[in-house]
Structure formats: C-alpha cells, structure tokens
C-alpha cells in the first residue's frame, strides 16, 4: 500500500503548503520572508503610504490599505471555501505577521488546515477607500504582483493579472458592487476557468456542485456507500447548520433534484446527528484511502467544504464555513497514520514456528535459497547470465540493464522481481517523475522510494541515465542515489538505461556504475526476430510453418524502426496483419496456418500506402511548392548516381522552413515529404510527428531539454513538423524557456541529420524573425518554401474535391455562388484557405441534411383518412448526394462577418 507520489510530501516534516485543489508544495527556503519584504515595500511606497484605515479588525491600526487588500487576497487566492493545509499553511500569519494586531502562534503540524471564505473580488476591496480610484486599481494589481512565487496560488493569481491588464472600459468611480460586476462580466473564459468565483455566488455554486458530484461518484466506486446522492447532499446541508434547502440549488442541481431535496429534507433532518455523520464519513474516507483513492478523497473534501462555504454565504459570497464537522483534520491524521514510514520488528514466532530440524540433527536451518529463474528473453545472453547470477546469490540485487528500446529490459526486470519473491510487487519509477521537480522534492521522493522498498520490495528505476543526465538536478540525484545504496544495504535495485547509458552515468558520477552489476541488451538478429514472431503467432492461436517464420525474421530484421515501434515490438505488429489475412481466407472449421506467401515482402510501419509523388502532383494549386519538392527529389537522385559512380558526396542539410497562411497545405506537404524521402532511402520510416511550442517548452527549470529530446527521438527516421515555430521566441515572459528548446533542437538536428528532417512552419514575417533569433538557426534551415494563398478557382476546386471525398456532388450553379462569396471575403493573414473550404462544406452538408430530412417527414394523417393513403415520397439517391446553391452559407452584407461564422 503506497501513497501517490505527488502526496509523499505530506509524510515528511518539510515546510509544506497544501492547497487541496493544487496539491502539496514544499515552500522554498526564504521565499515567504522575501514576499513579506515585498509587501512592506509596497506599503511604504509613496503612492500608498498615506492610504490607511481604522476599520480593519485584525490588523494593527491605522492599517495600510495595501496590507488590508493583501490580507483579503490571501484568503481569496486558494479559492472560496477551499481547503488550505500543511505545516506552512498560515499565510496571513507568516506573510503579515508584524501587521497583525493579535498574531496567533505559528503551527508546524502537517495536519493543520483551514478553509477561508475569501470575499475579496477584483478590482478592489479595502482600496475602495482610496480617494483616487485609478490609483487604487493600480495598487491592487501591484498587490497581486508582490505575491508572486507561491506556486499553489499562481494559476489564479496570473489569471487575475490578465484581467487587470485587459480591464473593461467603464467608469472607475462606480460603486464597488457595480464596478465588480463590470469586471466579472469582462473576464474571459480562461480567467473564469481559473477563478470560477467570478461567475457570482450561483454560478460558483453550480461549479462546486459538479465537482462535488463527480468526486462523490468516484469515491463510491472505490468505497461503496449505502446512500443516495440526494441524501448525501441533504446531510451536507445539515452538517453546515442549514435549516432549509437553498433555492439557488434549483439552478445548480436542476429542478428535479432540487424538488427531491425539498421533499426529503425534513425527514432527514429529524434523525441527523452531526457527530455520528462525521464518524461514518471518516470511516468511509479511510476505506477509500486504502483502496487507492487518495486524490478522490481530497477532491471530495475540498468540494464539500466549498459547498458549505457557498450555501452558508448565500445570497452573498462564500464565507468561512461554520460547524466544521467535515473530517478534514481526521483525514489528514489517518493519511499519516496509514502511510507514514514505520519501524518494523520481527516477531519471533515467524522464525520459531517455521523452523524445521536439519536431517542430520544439527540445530538451526539453512537459509532458503532463491529459486532458479526461468527467463523467456530472446538473444540476450548477457542479461540472462546476470539474472542467473543474481538469483543464485544471497546479496541484495544491484543491476543496471542498458540497451535499445524493445530488447527485453522491462521483461528482465519483471522476471527478476518474480524470482526474488520479496513479498510485495516491484515498485516502478520513471525518469519523468523527477524531471522539472525542485531538487528538494526530487530528493525527498528518492528517499521515500528507497525507504519504502528497503528489505521487502524491488525498486526499478526506468531511465536512470535520463535522471542522472538532467542538467538541473541530475548530478545531485546521482550522488544521493549512491549514498542511499550505502544507507540501505538491503535495498534491491534494478536500473534501466538506453544503449550507452552506463557511460552517460559515468560521465556525471564515475563511482555510481561501480555499485551495479551491468548487463547489456542488443538488437535482434533475423533468428531472434523469427523466434519472437513464432511466439506472437502462438499467442494468437495460430501456427506458422518454418519457412514462414524464417521469412518473417528476415523481414523484421530489415524493417527500419518508427518511433516506439522497434525491435521486439515489430513481431506482434506483423503478426496482427498476417493473422488477420490468414483467418479471413481460412474456413471456420480449419486450422489457420501462416505460410511463407503470407509474409509480405516489406513491412510499412508508417502505414502509408500509395505513391506520395503522385499524391503531391494531384494537390490543387501549389505549383511553386511542387517545383521546389521536385528539385529536392532530383538532387537526391543525382547524389545517389554520384555515389554509385564512386564520386565523393556531402549529404546536404535537408531541414527546411515552410511559410504561408493557415490552410495552405503545409502539414499535408510535410507528411508527403516524409514518405517521398522514405521511398528515396533518405529516411528510414518517413513518418510525421507534429509539434508545437507546448510539446517542446517545459513549465519549470529542467523540463525543456528532456521534453525536446523525447520529441526528437519520436521523430527520428521521419519528419518533425513544428507549427507556429516562431512562438518559441516571442514570449514576453522573463526567463521563458523557448530559447532553451531552440538550443537543444539545433544540437539534436545536427546529431541526427542522417535520419531526421525538421520542418518549421508559420507566417512569413514571423518565421524570418524566428530564424534571426538564434545564430545557428538560419544555417540549419537552408531551404525555405513559401505556400501562397489559393486563388478563388483553386478554392472552388478544393471545395469540389472535399465534397467528392465525402460522397457529395455539386449541383449546377453552385460554383458561381461560391465564387461570389469568395470574391467578397477579405484576404489577410487569418484567411483560412483550404481549412475555410472544409468548414464551409461542413455547413453546406448540415444545411443539406436539414433540407432533405424535412422533405422526408410524413404528414400526420387525419383519423378519418382512408387507410390506403400514400405517404410522402422519400428523396431519391441523387437528391441525397447533391449539394445545391441554397445549401451554401448565406451571402453576407458585411464580408468581415465571414470569418466569425465559418473559420
């Protein structure tokens, strides 16, 4: 039984802030002191120093309006009624300590918690008293700025800052409530998604109810409970000392459920005991906790507390929940009680009752030997020898397995775990769990894993070379792992690495590989692939002849890998295709047998049949693009001829830039380019990997380079297509990691230039600025191809082709109407080109469906009508597949509306 990794901090004595909706977070040393200094600096700002109030009940008077505003923000930023827990959860006491009139003692108990109501709302609360309202709003924004760095609050804080930066146009001197309404109505969907309180009390209640019902459903799946949802909601209302069902719940839950609550409320109220309900709920949460639903427990507690806060605050904003019988503190105590590390003492009965006298009468018994391992690995003698050696000995296992993906590394680790029979299943840890974490968090996790597994569980670290090579924390984690191997002599550890991983680890920490028995896997020969294929056939209940199996082995050995489809993973892929064809031609009562003719001559892992050059030629328009691709193909053919003639050639750099507006076919051509290069032997698989900024750039220090490397590794053998690549250099944020992604990408492009083509795409001007952002970019993208906008005639052709692909024909005159619409459409950078035609076709098909369906609806007959009356005639096949001019979107008086409707 193990707590989810992201909750492990709750078992430590670290300074932790745990906002339930975010998760536990270790407070960096010195951060709160830095924020306190920022607050004091803002309060002493000449703009704010004279702004004070004598009305605040918790701050030393006269209190700075800035400090009072921040006090309200600290209650609001976690969420209205949200649970805020952890050993450093007292935000006002820690950040405003010297300003409080009666500061309470600072607690460091991890089980401490509270649920502030938070009535602060943008743009101002206490600062409303400032005589200059524009200055007040400016200072309120500065108050949000000084609170930067508290990670659990950052999403909501940044969303509110975006609202300040795009404030509504209104009279700033309106009364506070009217001013708030203008600001809340102006907030975009992204802001409201982060700060749902801006929906108002009823809207926020609806948001809370959806989360409460979802978490309750998940919890009852993990720990069934004999009560209906309606009874559960009524008991929550009673727990919150509510004497009636708030009418607002009719909006939040729907009228039917609200009526049911009204009907049952009085009966449930008569027998309700808050203390007994709390104990039942605590026991329910413990059952769910043991069932592995810790996150669902926390989600339900958070939503239940918000629910109480909202209904108690109606018709106004959420307020501090009263009568807090919801067992938050008890849940936190139970979590530590169940999952915290415990000392173990061996009960002597485990030895005395199982002891068996030796056959020769000697006292005691010999320690049981580990069972011999029965491995299923194929063509991995080095690993098999290591497994045999480790299972025969009695020393703790320390094994480092290095090799390419798909060569049996994970299988070897699993087989070793079964052979050791340590009492608990192996615990797997991947390098992704450490990437981007703060060093203290990563070290805490490593310690927790080692402590939990020591003695009775095999710890498997997958991607240890990635962990150690991480530029942020790798060196420190390598040293820490070396230390843990000495601290826990009974720790059994298997680490998996890519080929050459032991050397990458040795470069960072030369002594760490010495603590392991190192075994290497290798790619399979044709014979190895044949054996894997035979096993894949057996697993599918099909027999293969020896010539067929040998032919499959030779085919798989010659098949280039694509992304993760490589080595041992190729055999099941081929078996699925072959077995499906064999079963289709075999009689139901006959045994399916795979024979040599069933094995294809080639295995296209990219699943791209057809002639890509012909497909490129069939594309509408793009004449200049086709010419440029033809030149690339000719250059490749010429290079091959020179090479065959014994002439020396220098492989060209094939990375390129595609510029053009949306919908001009850049992605389509990039996909065809990969297939063309595969046919020419330039690329091994020719697949396309599409990416954007989000695939490359991490959110924290240390995430970007590994994320970029993983993306490039997926694309090796094919084309990496990065759309809107200029966004990597356009972020206004200080410390943005886009440039780090570019630097890593430039290096990897050079490392894999023989089997990788990178295509960056975007608007023409923006891409020119992108290439100028890094000195190495321009030289690595020597080829730039511009994709022009389609002409009206080309767009009509595209529309007709798309319609034909969907099974439709255009009626006479449709082209003319479409041409008239396009002639009036404004052309600019946002013009959709082919994408616009796709969207217009969708509208036309919907209109045609409505027209056809309406014509086919029979008329309701009069009861006295003659029985033999004929129904309305159904549309013909020609009518069903024909799009007419009336099906097209309507002509608009204002062409600029064209985009809003159809883009």
């Amino acid at each position: 039984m193990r707590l989810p990794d992201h909750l492990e901090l709750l078992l430590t004595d670290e300074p932790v802030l745990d906002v339930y909706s975010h998760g536990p977070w270790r407070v960096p040393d010195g951060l709160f002191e830095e924020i306190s200094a920022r607050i004091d600096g803002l309060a002493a700002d000449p703009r704010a120093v004279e702004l004070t109030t004598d009305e605040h009940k918790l701050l030393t008077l006269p209190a700075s309006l800035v400090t009072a505003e921040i006090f309200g923000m600290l209650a609001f930023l976690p969420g209205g009624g949200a649970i805020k827990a952890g050993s450093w959860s007292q935000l006002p006491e820690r950040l405003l300590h010297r300003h409080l009139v009666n500061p309470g003692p600072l607690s460091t108990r991890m089980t401490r918690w509270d649920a502030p109501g938070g009535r602060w709302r943008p743009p101002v609360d206490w600062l409303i008293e400032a005589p200059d309202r524009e200055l007040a709003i400016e200072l309120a924004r500065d108050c949000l700025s000084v609170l930067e760095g508290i990670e659990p609050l950052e999403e909501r804080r940044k969303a509110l800052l975006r609202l300040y930066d795009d404030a509504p146009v209104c009279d700033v001197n309106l009364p506070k409530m009217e001013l708030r309404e203008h600001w809340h109505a102006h907030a975009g969907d992204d802001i409201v998604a982060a700060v749902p309180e801006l929906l108002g009390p009823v809207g926020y209640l609806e948001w809370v109810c959806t989360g409460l019902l979802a978490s309750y459903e998940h919890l009852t799946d993990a720990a069934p409970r004999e009560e209906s949802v309606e009874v559960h909601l009524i008991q929550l209302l009673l727990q919150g000392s509510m004497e009636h069902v708030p009418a607002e719940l009719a909006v939040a839950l729907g009228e039917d459920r609200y009526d049911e609550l009204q009907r049952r409320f009085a009966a449930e109220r008569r027998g309700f005991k808050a203390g007994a309900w709390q104990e039942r709920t605590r026991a329910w949460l413990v059952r769910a906790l043991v069932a592995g639903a810790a996150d669902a427990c926390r989600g339900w507690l958070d939503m239940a507390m918000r629910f109480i806060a909202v209904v108690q605050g109606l018709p106004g904003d959420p307020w501090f929940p009263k009568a807090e019988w919801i067992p938050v503190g008890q849940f936190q105590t139970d979590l530590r009680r169940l999952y915290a590390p415990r000392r173990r003492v061996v009960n002597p009965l485990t030895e005395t009752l199982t002891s068996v006298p030796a056959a020769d009468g000697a006292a005691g018994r010999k320690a049981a030997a580990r069972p011999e391992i029965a491995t299923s690995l194929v063509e991995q003698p080095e690993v098999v020898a290591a497994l045999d050696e480790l299972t025969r000995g009695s020393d703790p296992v320390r094994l480092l397995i290095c090799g390419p993906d798909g060569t049996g590394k994970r299988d070897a680790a699993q087989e070793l775990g079964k052979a050791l029979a340590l009492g608990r299943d192996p615990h797997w840890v991947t390098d992704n769990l450490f990437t981007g974490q703060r060093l203290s968090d990563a070290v805490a996790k490593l310690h927790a894993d080692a402590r939990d597994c020591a003695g009775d569980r095999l710890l498997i670290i997958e991607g240890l070379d990635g962990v150690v090579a991480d530029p942020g924390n790798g060196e420190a984690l390598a040293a820490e792992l070396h230390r843990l191997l000495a601290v826990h002599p009974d720790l059994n550890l298997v680490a998996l690495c890519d080929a050459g991983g032991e050397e990458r680890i040795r470069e960072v920490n030369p002594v760490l590989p010495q603590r392991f028995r190192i075994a290497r896997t290798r790619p399979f020969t044709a014979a190895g692939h044949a054996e894997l294929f035979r096993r894949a056939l057996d697993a599918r209940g099909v027999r293969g002849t020896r010539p067929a199996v040998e032919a499959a082995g030779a085919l798989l050995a010659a098949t280039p890998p694509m992304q993760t489809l490589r080595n041992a993973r190729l055999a099941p892929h081929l078996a699925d295709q072959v077995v499906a064809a064999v079963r289709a031609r075999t009689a139901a009562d006959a045994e399916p047998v795979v024979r040599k003719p069933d094995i294809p001559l080639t295995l296209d892992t990219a699943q791209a049949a057809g002639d890509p050059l012909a497909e490129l030629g069939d594309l509408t328009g793009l004449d200049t693009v086709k010419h440029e691709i033809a030149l690339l193909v000719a250059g490749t053919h010429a290079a091959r001829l020179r090479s065959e003639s014994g002439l020396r050639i220098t492989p060209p750099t094939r990375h390129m830039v595609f510029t053009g507006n949306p919908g001009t076919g850049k992605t389509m051509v990039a996909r065809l380019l990969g297939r063309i290069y595969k046919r020419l032997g330039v690329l091994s698989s020719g697949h396309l990997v599409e990416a954007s900024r989000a695939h490359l750039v991490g959110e924290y220090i240390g995430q970007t380079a590994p994320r970029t490397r993983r993306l490039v590794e997926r694309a090796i053998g094919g084309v990496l297509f990065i759309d809107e690549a200029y966004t990597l250099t356009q972020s206004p944020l200080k410390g943005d990691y886009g440039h780090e992604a570019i630097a890593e990408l430039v290096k990897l492009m050079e490392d894999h230039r023989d089997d990788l083509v990178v295509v960056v795409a975007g608007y023409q001007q923006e891409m020119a600025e992108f290439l100028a952002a890094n000195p190495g970019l321009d030289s690595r993208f020597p080829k730039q191809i511009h994709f022009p906008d389609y002409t009206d005639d080309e767009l009509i052709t595209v529309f007709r082709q798309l319609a034909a692909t969907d099974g439709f024909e255009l009626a006479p005159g449709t082209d003319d109407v479409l041409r008239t619409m396009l002639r009036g459409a404004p052309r600019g950078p946002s013009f959709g080109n082919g994408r616009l035609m796709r969207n217009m076709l969708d509208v036309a098909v919907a209109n045609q469906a409505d027209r056809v369906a309406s014509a086919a609806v029979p008329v309701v007959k009069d009861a006295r009508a003659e029985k033999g009356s004929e129904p309305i005639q159904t549309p013909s096949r020609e009518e069903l597949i024909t799009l007419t001019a009336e099906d097209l979107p309507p002509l608009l008086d204002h062409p600029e509306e064209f985009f809003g409707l159809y883009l």
Side-chain angles (χ1 to χ4, degrees):
M1 187 174 66
R2 179 180 173 85
L3 199 63
D5 292 332
H6 64 279
L7 299 181
E8 288 280 354
L9 265 177
L10 300 176
L11 307 180
T12 70
D13 295 320
E14 299 283 343
V16 171
L17 170 61
D18 181 19
V19 177
Y20 271 30
S21 58
H22 175 275
W25 172 69
R26 188 195 184 280
V27 180
D29 298 336
L31 175 63
F32 278 11
E33 291 79 1
E34 178 187 337
I35 295 176
S36 294
R38 289 186 220 151
I39 294 172
D40 291 343
L42 182 59
D45 189 294
R47 299 172 298 160
V49 70
E50 297 298 328
L51 302 178
T52 61
T53 180
D54 292 326
E55 301 296 327
H56 207 289
K57 297 179 180 180
L58 300 178
L59 298 178
T60 303
L61 303 179
S64 165
L65 289 181
V66 162
T67 306
E69 192 82 10
I70 290 176
F71 191 99
M73 288 179 176
L74 290 175
F76 177 79
L77 283 176
I83 296 175
K84 173 168 60 70
S87 56
W88 278 42
S89 59
Q90 296 165 283
L91 295 181
E93 289 84 353
R94 292 190 179 274
L95 300 178
L96 301 172
H97 188 271
R98 75 178 193 86
H99 298 281
L100 300 177
V101 64
N102 186 23
L106 293 177
S107 171
T108 56
R109 293 183 300 110
M110 190 64 76
T111 54
R112 192 210 164 273
W113 72 279
D114 60 68
R119 287 194 167 179
W120 180 88
R121 291 288 187 279
V124 286
D125 190 14
W126 283 92
L127 279 166
I128 199 77
E129 298 180 21
D132 184 346
R133 188 67 65 80
E134 291 186 352
L135 174 62
I137 294 175
E138 178 182 338
L139 287 173
R141 189 196 187 286
D142 291 343
C143 290
L144 281 170
S145 297
V146 300
L147 295 178
E148 180 183 5
I150 306 176
E151 185 176 311
L153 313 182
E154 278 295 274
E155 182 183 7
R156 289 166 60 86
R157 187 189 70 86
K158 290 178 179 178
L160 290 168
L161 283 177
R162 293 198 298 273
L163 181 55
Y164 278 91
D165 293 338
D166 182 26
V169 178
C170 64
D171 183 5
V172 297
N173 293 308
L174 289 170
K176 181 166 71 172
M177 297 307 296
E178 292 185 33
L179 186 61
R180 284 180 175 177
E181 289 178 4
H182 280 283
W183 277 61
H184 297 177
H186 184 69
D189 290 345
D190 61 324
I191 297 174
V192 175
V195 192
E197 294 92 328
L198 300 185
L199 296 168
V202 177
Y204 184 48
L205 176 62
E206 183 176 12
W207 181 88
V208 169
C209 285
T210 57
L212 177 63
L213 295 177
S215 57
Y216 180 76
E217 181 181 354
H218 191 95
L219 271 185
T220 52
D221 288 341
R225 195 177 191 186
E226 294 182 359
E227 67 176 22
S228 66
V229 173
E230 289 75 18
V231 170
H232 180 69
L233 292 171
I234 291 173
Q235 291 180 341
L236 274 178
L237 292 171
L238 294 171
Q239 177 278 335
S241 303
M242 299 297 294
E243 298 182 357
H244 65 281
V245 179
E248 290 83 353
L249 284 174
V251 178
L253 297 172
E255 293 182 3
D256 292 342
R257 180 161 279 168
Y258 170 76
D259 291 341
E260 182 67 10
L261 296 183
Q262 288 275 58
R263 187 180 68 81
R264 305 182 64 164
F265 186 81
E268 290 293 332
R269 183 180 181 185
R270 283 194 294 272
F272 182 75
K273 301 292 184 183
W277 180 87
Q278 181 201 42
E279 289 304 315
R280 292 197 306 272
T281 302
R282 177 183 185 179
W284 174 52
L285 292 173
V286 169
R287 287 192 291 119
L289 194 60
V290 173
D295 286 319
C297 291
R298 286 163 55 89
W300 177 85
L301 286 167
D302 190 42
M303 289 298 117
M305 192 59 67
R306 293 184 195 234
F307 180 77
I308 298 302
V310 177
V311 297
Q312 289 180 347
L314 291 172
D317 294 323
W319 197 233
F320 293 85
K322 301 188 292 291
E324 294 168 350
W325 285 96
I326 293 181
V328 179
Q330 294 91 327
F331 169 80
Q332 296 184 155
T333 299
D334 291 335
L335 186 145
R336 289 177 66 89
R337 179 171 59 86
L338 290 170
Y339 289 100
R342 297 181 300 278
R343 292 188 298 174
R344 290 183 172 87
V345 178
V346 177
N347 190 313
L349 289 176
T350 61
E351 296 290 332
T352 59
L353 293 181
T354 58
S355 296
V356 179
D360 58 359
R365 64 184 178 87
K366 185 178 180 180
R370 290 171 176 167
E372 292 187 8
I373 188 168
T375 178
S376 61
L377 297 178
V378 174
E379 286 194 335
Q380 305 301 342
E382 194 173 335
V383 177
V384 171
L387 297 183
D388 182 67
E389 174 187 325
L390 292 170
T391 52
R392 289 178 182 276
S394 58
D395 293 334
V397 170
R398 305 285 170 80
L399 175 62
L400 179 64
I401 305 178
C402 307
D405 281 348
T407 51
K409 293 180 293 183
R410 295 189 186 94
D411 291 341
Q414 289 173 334
E415 291 177 356
L416 181 59
K418 291 178 182 178
L420 294 177
L422 293 175
R424 290 196 289 164
D425 290 338
H427 175 55
W428 289 78
V429 178
T430 67
D431 56 342
N432 290 331
L433 296 174
F434 295 95
T435 301
Q437 288 199 40
R438 295 181 183 274
L439 178 59
S440 56
D441 296 342
V443 169
K445 171 172 175 45
L446 190 60
H447 274 264
D449 289 333
R451 186 172 60 246
D452 178 67
C453 295
D456 64 346
R457 194 177 196 183
L458 177 64
L459 174 60
I460 302 173
I461 301 180
E462 190 169 354
L464 180 61
D465 51 340
V467 175
V468 171
D470 182 83
N473 299 333
E475 186 173 355
L477 287 173
E480 204 65 32
L481 178 60
H482 181 264
R483 187 178 301 114
L484 286 171
L485 291 174
V487 170
H488 298 287
D490 56 346
L491 175 63
N492 294 281
L493 173 62
V494 174
L496 310 182
C497 299
D498 287 335
E502 73 277 18
E503 295 303 325
R504 286 188 289 275
I505 296 173
R506 189 172 286 112
E507 291 172 1
V508 176
N509 189 313
V511 73
L512 183 57
Q514 299 176 13
R515 304 299 300 271
F516 290 91
R517 165 75 158 85
I518 298 176
R520 300 168 185 84
T521 62
R522 62 188 186 188
F524 300 100
T525 64
H529 278 295
E531 173 60 20
L532 291 169
F533 182 73
R534 186 192 63 76
R535 294 184 184 184
L537 293 182
D538 289 344
R540 289 156 179 78
V542 176
R543 182 171 61 86
T545 64
R546 188 173 67 177
V549 171
E550 291 175 350
L555 170 63
L556 293 173
T559 299
M562 185 196 77
Q563 297 181 275
T564 57
L565 188 57
R566 57 184 64 234
N567 294 312
R569 300 165 191 162
L570 289 167
H573 179 74
L574 175 61
D576 285 335
Q577 297 182 22
V578 172
V579 169
V582 169
R583 289 190 187 279
R585 64 168 169 77
T586 303
D589 56 346
E591 178 191 11
V593 178
V594 175
R595 306 185 185 280
K596 186 175 181 181
D598 297 320
I599 306 300
L601 297 178
T602 59
L603 179 60
D604 184 7
T605 54
Q607 296 293 304
D611 184 357
L613 281 172
E615 292 179 34
L616 178 66
D618 290 340
L619 294 179
T620 301
L622 303 179
D623 292 337
T624 58
V625 175
K626 295 173 183 177
H627 176 68
E628 293 290 345
I629 299 297
L631 291 178
L632 294 176
V633 172
T636 303
H637 279 303
R640 177 179 296 172
L641 293 173
R642 293 190 189 100
S643 177
E644 292 172 353
S645 299
L647 299 175
R648 181 179 177 181
I649 62 169
T650 301
T653 300
R654 294 188 172 87
H655 311 302
M656 60 188 71
V657 179
F658 286 179
T659 62
N661 292 331
T664 49
K666 298 186 292 295
T667 307
M668 187 188 315
V669 171
R671 182 174 285 107
L672 291 173
L673 181 66
R675 293 169 55 196
I676 290 170
Y677 274 153
K678 179 181 185 298
R679 287 173 64 105
L680 295 174
V682 173
L683 296 176
S684 59
S685 66
H687 66 284
L688 180 77
V689 174
E690 296 184 58
S692 63
R693 173 187 167 89
H695 295 91
L696 293 160
V697 179
E699 300 170 6
Y700 310 107
I701 295 175
Q703 279 188 324
T704 297
R707 184 175 291 187
T708 304
R709 282 197 299 272
R710 285 194 295 270
L711 182 68
V712 171
E713 287 168 1
R714 284 178 51 208
I716 291 175
V719 174
L720 174 59
F721 181 80
I722 305 175
D723 199 12
E724 296 181 344
Y726 51 83
T727 57
L728 294 172
T729 60
Q730 287 186 343
S731 175
L733 300 176
K734 182 179 179 181
D736 179 72
Y737 306 128
H739 290 280
E740 180 184 348
I742 292 173
E744 186 70 18
L745 180 63
V746 167
K747 176 182 179 299
L748 294 169
M749 287 165 57
E750 191 62 30
D751 292 344
H752 302 287
R753 60 178 297 170
D754 293 337
D755 201 17
L756 174 70
V757 172
V758 177
V759 177
V760 291
Y763 294 109
Q764 192 166 13
Q765 179 59 38
E766 284 82 350
M767 290 306 297
E769 296 171 358
F770 166 75
L771 295 176
N774 183 293
L777 278 178
D778 195 44
S779 62
R780 284 172 173 79
F781 291 98
K783 190 70 174 176
Q784 299 188 26
I785 300 178
H786 180 67
F787 287 66
D789 286 344
Y790 288 104
T791 65
D792 289 352
D793 289 338
E794 290 172 344
L795 288 173
I796 292 172
T797 302
V798 169
F799 186 88
R800 184 179 290 276
Q801 290 173 340
L802 291 172
T805 301
D806 290 352
F808 291 96
E809 299 174 355
L810 301 187
T814 308
D815 289 359
D816 296 335
V817 176
L818 190 58
R819 184 175 287 104
T820 301
M821 297 180 68
L822 292 172
R823 192 178 299 120
R827 299 291 183 105
S830 298
F831 185 72
N833 288 288
R835 195 173 305 160
L836 173 63
M837 294 298 97
R838 174 77 264 176
N839 294 340
M840 289 185 65
L841 176 63
D842 291 341
V843 175
V845 170
N847 290 340
Q848 190 255 19
D850 181 65
R851 174 172 57 81
V852 171
S854 300
V857 174
V859 177
V860 178
K861 299 179 182 178
D862 188 278
R864 294 169 296 178
E866 189 177 334
K867 287 186 177 181
S869 297
E870 291 293 331
I872 291 179
Q873 185 177 359
T874 57
S876 65
R877 180 183 180 279
E878 184 177 354
E879 290 173 324
L880 291 172
I881 65 171
T882 301
L883 297 176
T884 67
E886 65 183 86
D887 296 324
L888 294 174
L891 289 172
L892 303 174
D893 295 332
H894 302 284
E896 62 271 12
E897 297 177 10
F898 198 81
F899 294 107
L901 290 177
Y902 309 120
L903 291 187

